[in-house]
Amino acid sequence: MSLDQAVFSSIISAHIQQARKENPEWDRRRAMYRCQNWRGDGSTGEVDPDLRTESGSLYAYADTMVASVVPPNPRVSCMARRNALKEAARYRSALVNDTLQRSHADLVLWRQATHATVYPRGVIKSVWNQKKGRPDFLNIDPRNFFYDMEASRFEDIRYCIEVTVMTKAEFLSRVPGTGKPSPSQIYDGNVAKKVKFSSYPAWLKDPKTGRAEISDAIRKVFEWCIIFEVYDYTVPGGRYFHFAEDVKEPLFSGDLPYVFVPNPFCTLSFNDNLEDPGGLSDAELVEGPIRRRDELLTLELRFAQATIPVTVVDEAEIDDPEEFKTQLANATSPGDVVTFKGKNGRRASEVLGQTPTAALSPSFTSIDTKLDNEIMFRLGMPQYTRGVAGTSNIATELALVDAALRTRQGRRSKLVNHVVEFMAKATVGLYEEFMDADSTLPVRLGKAEFMEIARQNLAARDPRAAEQILAEGGTIEEPLDIDYEVFAYSPVENSKSALLQKIEKFAQQLFGNPIIDQQKLMKFLLESLDVPDGDDLVQEAPPAPAPGMGGGAPPPMGPPGSTPPVGGIPDSMGMLSGGGELPPGVQPPPNAGTGARVGMAGGAGANGPVL
């Protein structure tokens, strides 16, 4: 059932009321992530800097978890379901991976995963960047994004709303008749007159901290208004509106911004709240134990300060008590001397004294350990993954814990892969819509390899035909002929050292194998070994001689007595797979067949391509 335009005003008001309740809770958990204390007036800061401590457990967990599940180099492989689309799938893979690299998808994913740890969800938006001429991906503050909470899945939502804040000058630039004619003047002039401008919205402000003071001072200079960008999916083809706060009529109504990417948003939630698709943050799960631990550390600090005795002076027994107290306060170095004149021959022990210290000696260590174990139990993060040494003396125990951790984090890695898949599909969809028919895109495949891609190489859909279908009330079906598979990522298995160990294990099957391109294999090996200008070291293969030209086979490579090369690689390098025996009377070279295992370990880095 389609939603009426007047209904959206009520929907927006309901979401604003909900945001007023949720935002203070989110701000409190964000302050916990920043290792800041939270005060009851809704701001962050230390009530007493000398008597407040923060454990930083949430930041330590978030940093470790994000590094474990987010790939530093996200890559996608397009798989065709029909033979006719295999070439198009290869071009799409190159275009998607190049776009992910140029748009710094790793940074976008890291920030989204951090948002999903501190807040219930993280949100990204895919857009077409007119200045750069390519797709781009933006992180959206979760407090500025509303969507249908009645849907069972995010892809089934009926609407979503992005909250944007504009200055008065920015708003008037979109109203006809307020300046030079421009394509951006899309707002209804009569509705624009009803918009009210005021100070920056209080429910969207960050808490008053040192970081926000400058921004808050700048915000006071301008007049602001809130614009709600509404994406309506209840009608075929969808609708797109701009609403102002407390105005029922839309400032703008039209088609969705993108033809092949109707929903440009993608959410990420690591935990299910079992109620709606809003998600559940890790910070909410451990907020209680972290606050108890911070209180415990504060009490321990106060107890330590209370055990320091305070000097007591009997002024009635000293001739000049002020002078004595000044000397006593300044005597802070070894060897300092303090003099005084006691009345009636009073001694120092009769003039000076100390306050009694606490008789009890509570042990905070056991309680702190219990709270830390409770926090890590809820988050599933053992100590050794955070760099704590000496947590176990048995390697087998650590191996079992690591296997269990990777199994638990596998679900989160899969959720991140879904986001990468969305970015890949959005990349292709935006290029299908905005790429010119007569233009080509240079795409890098490696350090020294590249290709040029045109629309026909991608088997792109026609945006004009799609717009005609939408105008007739039809829907555009998502193509199912090409799948987008995300390369699995593991920080342990995808390191260069682990990759070289795999190559060493299968060296006999790889090197010299006639069905494997030895030149590409050697380039990949040199790149994995971080050899400078490794591509220049590999020579191009000589052209095969024409039939009937030349005599016999070329002379064998390598020193006399060595085995003839297989696939253009001499056996003196120790790369042969052992296929076949040596001719009678020929002695094998010393240490033959073991050189492939030399120099293939070490060096941590990003994951390499899969052979």
Side-chain angles (χ1 to χ4, degrees), residues 208-242:
K208 294 182 179 180
T209 61
R211 293 182 178 90
E213 288 179 358
I214 298 178
S215 299
D216 189 58
I218 296 176
R219 288 170 180 172
K220 292 179 180 179
V221 178
F222 301 99
E223 292 183 289
W224 303 86
C225 67
I226 304 178
I227 301 299
F228 299 92
E229 301 181 10
V230 179
Y231 296 76
D232 179 17
Y233 304 113
T234 59
V235 298
R239 297 179 298 177
Y240 181 57
F241 304 101
H242 280 201

Side-chain angles (χ1 to χ4, degrees), residues 153-400:
R153 300 179 303 175
F154 182 74
E155 51 264 33
D156 298 330
I157 60 175
R158 294 170 295 177
Y159 65 88
C160 62
I161 305 171
E162 182 184 2
V163 183
T164 59
V165 184
M166 293 185 184
T167 63
K168 186 175 183 179
E170 292 174 338
F171 177 83
L172 294 179
S173 66
R174 302 189 177 190
V175 180
T178 57
K180 295 182 179 180
S182 172
S184 62
Q185 296 178 344
I186 57 176
Y187 286 170
D188 188 328
N190 295 327
V191 179
K193 296 178 181 179
K194 302 179 183 179
V195 178
K196 298 180 181 179
F197 301 91
S198 60
S199 59
Y200 198 87
W203 63 279
L204 288 176
K205 282 184 179 180
D206 295 335
K208 294 182 179 180
T209 61
R211 293 182 178 90
E213 288 179 358
I214 298 178
S215 299
D216 189 58
I218 296 176
R219 288 170 180 172
K220 292 179 180 179
V221 178
F222 301 99
E223 292 183 289
W224 303 86
C225 67
I226 304 178
I227 301 299
F228 299 92
E229 301 181 10
V230 179
Y231 296 76
D232 179 17
Y233 304 113
T234 59
V235 298
R239 297 179 298 177
Y240 181 57
F241 304 101
H242 280 201
F243 284 90
E245 188 176 17
D246 299 330
V247 179
K248 295 184 178 181
E249 298 84 2
L251 290 163
F252 167 80
S253 62
D255 299 329
L256 294 175
Y258 305 118
V259 176
F260 299 123
V261 187
N263 188 354
F265 300 95
C266 181
T267 61
L268 173 64
S269 298
F270 287 132
N271 304 296
D272 191 351
N273 61 15
L274 303 180
E275 184 178 0
D276 53 52
L280 179 67
S281 68
D282 294 317
E284 184 176 355
L285 294 174
V286 297
E287 181 180 3
I290 288 180
R291 293 181 65 183
R292 299 289 85 79
R293 190 183 186 190
D294 290 348
E295 292 177 3
L296 178 68
L297 295 177
T298 301
L299 291 176
E300 184 177 9
L301 178 60
R302 288 178 176 175
F303 177 80
Q305 292 176 338
T307 57
I308 301 175
V310 179
T311 303
V312 180
V313 179
D314 187 357
E315 296 183 354
E317 303 296 335
I318 302 177
D319 289 339
D320 191 354
E322 296 299 330
E323 176 64 21
F324 176 68
K325 288 189 292 184
T326 302
Q327 292 186 48
L328 193 64
N330 295 332
T332 57
S333 302
D336 290 346
V337 178
V338 178
T339 61
F340 73 96
K341 293 180 180 181
K343 295 180 180 179
N344 301 323
R346 296 295 185 181
R347 293 177 296 178
S349 59
E350 297 174 339
V351 175
L352 294 176
Q354 292 179 341
T355 57
T357 59
L360 298 177
S361 179
S363 176
F364 296 92
T365 305
S366 60
I367 303 177
D368 180 69
T369 302
K370 291 180 181 179
L371 290 174
D372 183 67
N373 292 338
E374 176 65 20
I375 294 171
M376 292 302 107
F377 174 76
R378 296 186 185 186
L379 298 177
M381 186 64 63
Q383 291 182 342
Y384 81 94
T385 59
R386 294 175 284 133
V388 180
T391 56
S392 176
N393 296 324
I394 305 176
T396 305
E397 179 182 349
L398 290 179
L400 294 175

Side-chain angles (χ1 to χ4, degrees), residues 54-71:
E54 305 84 18
S55 59
S57 302
L58 183 58
Y59 172 80
Y61 164 74
D63 185 63
T64 304
M65 187 275 296
V66 171
S68 302
V69 302
V70 178

Side-chain angles (χ1 to χ4, degrees), residues 129-143:
N129 194 318
Q130 294 288 352
K131 295 181 179 180
K132 299 179 180 179
R134 60 171 174 81
D136 206 354
F137 303 97
L138 309 175
N139 290 105
I140 305 297
D141 191 333
R143 71 188 70 217

